[in-house]
Amino acid sequence: MAFLQVTSMEIKISTKQRDYSIYLEHHILEKASELIGNEGKKFIITDSGVPFKWTSLIQKQFPEAKMFVFPCGEQSKSLECYAKIMTWLVENKCSRKDVIIALGGGVVGDLSGFVASTYMRGIKYVNIPTTMLSQIDSSIGGKTAIDFNGLKNIVGSFWQPSMVLIDPDTLSTLSARQLSNGLAEAVKAGLIRDKELFEIFEKDDYLQHIDEIIFRSLMVKKQIVEEDEMEQSVRKLLNFGHSYGHGYESYFKGKYLHGECVAMGMMTILKNEEIRERLRNILLRLHLPVIEECDKDKVAEIITSDKKAAGNKIDIVQVDEIGNGHVETWDISEIRRLLG
Ligand SMILES: NC(=O)c1ccc[n+]([C@@H]2O[C@H](COP(=O)([O-])OP(=O)(O)OC[C@H]3O[C@@H](n4cnc5c(N)ncnc54)[C@H](O)[C@@H]3O)[C@@H](O)[C@H]2O)c1
Ligand SMILES: [Zn+2]
């Protein structure tokens, strides 16, 4: 796969919790030790699906560092895996001055971030996202979490990383399915905030623009997170396609990946026919699912079940104009209607 090369880029993120930089650059992983520095011991956390090519590249720059590898997959975002990592940190005498390096996709980032936020009431962590989804979305913004009692991301915290290193070269080992899965979130970012980003996906050679896609998606997320770190208002826009998306994710029980469910969720919610058609063509081009046969009553039930306690209202993001999403508050009874 060919990538358009970007020159090095530093994106500064400013939040109430802390300011930090995202470095976006090809081969930046080779400079990780230079950027992270030698202050504090390093604790690398990764999963079994991250290719040796990338783990060895980081490990050799920190020969003294300890490394914890957990089994890849969403099931590791668990209390059990969290406890194993905590035990490992305690046994290896990780102190408040030390640094966690999260190397992998969103699962590694969410779990390591949660570990970092709670170990000794919070220690530094550097995020090195290696999947499309984590490079454009989950690695910034400070949401960390594990799943519990069958509920996704129910235990977590807001904990900003102290640095994010994004090397688009790591995407070269990713499967086409995982690549498209992440790109669904970039399409979302385009729809809610950046028309030009959306339009990149209407070009046949969109894969030549991966660097720009990453950069633009990060800028959308940066602006939104800086405006509303704790998701009180505008950050809700990032949930476009996610209400139905989460419903599909639970309903299909692992058949579809997160981004694939968001793709279907966006198709379900969009009312504007022209935008819907354009989105449909993009999803087909990316080999993402458009809409799948399902038991609509069940999907609606999943989406509304946890809202019942919250006053029968649900915040839904809608896009009537590309690049300009808005939040609407609905009565939960309307959820079933849109499923047709
Ligand atoms: N914190 C947030 O704001 C936020 C936002 C969106 C999603 N998420 C979370 O992110 C998670 C999904 O993240 P994901 O899509 O990155 O999945 P993932 O972390 O499970 O990674 C997908 C697979 O790719 C493997 N992998 C990682 N890097 C690779 C590489 N360079 N080459 C080949 N294989 C590689 C992983 O080992 C894994 O098997 C979910 O748990 C979701 O809840 C969090
Ligand atoms: Zn998402």
Side-chain angles (χ1 to χ4, degrees):
M1 188 190 318
F3 291 123
L4 202 74
Q5 302 276 312
V6 280
T7 47
S8 82
M9 188 106 56
E10 182 180 359
I11 303 166
K12 294 200 158 119
I13 307 284
S14 170
T15 66
K16 287 191 195 80
Q17 201 173 60
R18 76 179 59 82
D19 295 348
Y20 59 97
S21 291
I22 300 173
Y23 296 94
L24 169 60
E25 188 180 324
H26 286 263
H27 305 302
I28 197 150
L29 256 52
E30 290 162 21
K31 293 197 280 187
S33 59
E34 206 179 291
L35 287 158
I36 297 169
N38 48 21
E39 210 178 294
K41 284 186 287 178
K42 307 297 183 296
F43 290 82
I44 303 166
I45 302 176
T46 189
D47 74 30
S48 58
V50 179
F52 178 73
K53 185 174 181 182
W54 311 123
T55 50
S56 61
L57 188 54
I58 295 301
Q59 213 176 11
K60 74 176 182 208
Q61 293 175 65
F62 300 102
E64 312 278 289
K66 305 275 177 210
M67 186 156 95
F68 190 96
V69 186
F70 63 80
C72 63
E74 182 73 23
Q75 71 282 357
S76 285
K77 261 173 73 173
S78 64
L79 213 47
E80 293 72 31
C81 195
Y82 169 84
K84 281 185 188 153
I85 297 174
M86 284 295 178
T87 307
W88 171 72
L89 291 175
V90 171
E91 282 175 358
N92 286 289
K93 301 189 171 44
C94 177
S95 80
R96 205 171 262 147
K97 291 182 298 207
D98 298 335
V99 183
I100 285 176
I101 299 177
L103 176 67
V107 166
V108 171
D110 278 15
L111 175 60
S112 311
F114 185 56
V115 164
S117 79
T118 46
Y119 186 78
M120 299 185 98
R121 299 192 185 86
I123 64 171
K124 273 191 191 172
Y125 89 107
V126 172
N127 210 342
I128 307 184
T130 58
T131 62
M132 190 75 231
L133 184 133
S134 57
Q135 294 195 350
I136 61 167
D137 189 352
S138 65
S139 62
I140 68 159
K143 278 191 183 178
T144 80
I146 55 172
D147 308 331
F148 183 65
N149 250 7
L151 298 166
K152 222 176 122 71
N153 298 333
I154 195 77
V155 176
S157 62
F158 283 96
W159 191 247
Q160 303 290 345
S162 38
M163 185 185 291
V164 182
L165 304 182
I166 300 180
D167 184 344
D169 285 337
T170 59
L171 303 175
S172 60
T173 51
L174 211 60
S175 68
R177 185 181 180 195
Q178 287 287 356
L179 196 74
S180 285
N181 174 54
L183 288 176
E185 296 278 10
V187 173
K188 174 205 75 181
L191 278 167
I192 58 169
R193 268 285 166 108
D194 183 348
K195 189 167 189 250
E196 283 177 50
L197 170 56
F198 180 82
E199 287 172 346
I200 293 176
F201 292 101
E202 295 185 310
K203 298 176 185 156
D204 285 335
D205 68 343
Y206 69 93
L207 278 177
Q208 299 299 316
H209 301 267
I210 289 288
D211 290 2
E212 188 182 354
I213 290 170
I214 298 172
F215 175 71
R216 283 184 174 272
S217 304
L218 288 173
M219 292 308 282
V220 168
K221 188 138 185 193
K222 166 186 158 73
Q223 286 161 12
I224 289 178
V225 167
E226 285 184 342
E227 216 178 301
D228 175 26
E229 196 174 335
M230 308 302 276
E231 199 169 304
Q232 298 302 304
S233 56
V234 71
R235 190 163 179 171
K236 289 180 183 165
L237 287 179
L238 294 169
N239 297 332
F240 178 56
H242 281 62
S243 299
Y244 287 99
H246 285 149
Y248 292 132
E249 221 172 330
S250 306
Y251 175 81
F252 286 112
K253 295 190 175 67
K255 180 178 173 201
Y256 291 107
L257 302 170
H258 175 75
E260 294 170 339
C261 292
V262 170
M264 292 192 275
M266 293 191 288
M267 283 301 287
T268 310
I269 187 74
L270 268 176
K271 276 197 293 223
N272 182 299
E273 276 306 319
E274 189 220 317
I275 303 177
R276 228 169 154 266
E277 196 45 36
R278 287 174 70 177
L279 174 64
R280 196 186 136 76
N281 288 332
I282 287 174
L283 299 182
L284 292 174
R285 169 171 290 150
L286 266 59
H287 304 288
L288 284 165
V290 172
I291 226 88
E292 221 11 86
E293 275 305 309
C294 60
D295 179 339
K296 291 161 182 168
D297 290 333
K298 244 192 203 139
V299 173
E301 171 58 26
I302 294 167
I303 300 169
T304 55
S305 57
D306 64 324
K307 304 294 168 200
K308 284 185 184 135
N312 286 351
K313 297 283 178 207
I314 184 166
D315 286 330
I316 288 280
V317 183
Q318 186 55 278
V319 174
D320 297 329
E321 181 193 355
I322 296 173
N324 196 10
H326 65 273
V327 180
E328 295 175 358
T329 303
W330 286 9
D331 192 274
I332 56 164
S333 59
E334 292 180 70
I335 292 287
R336 173 66 185 85
R337 195 170 44 80
L338 245 87
L339 288 163

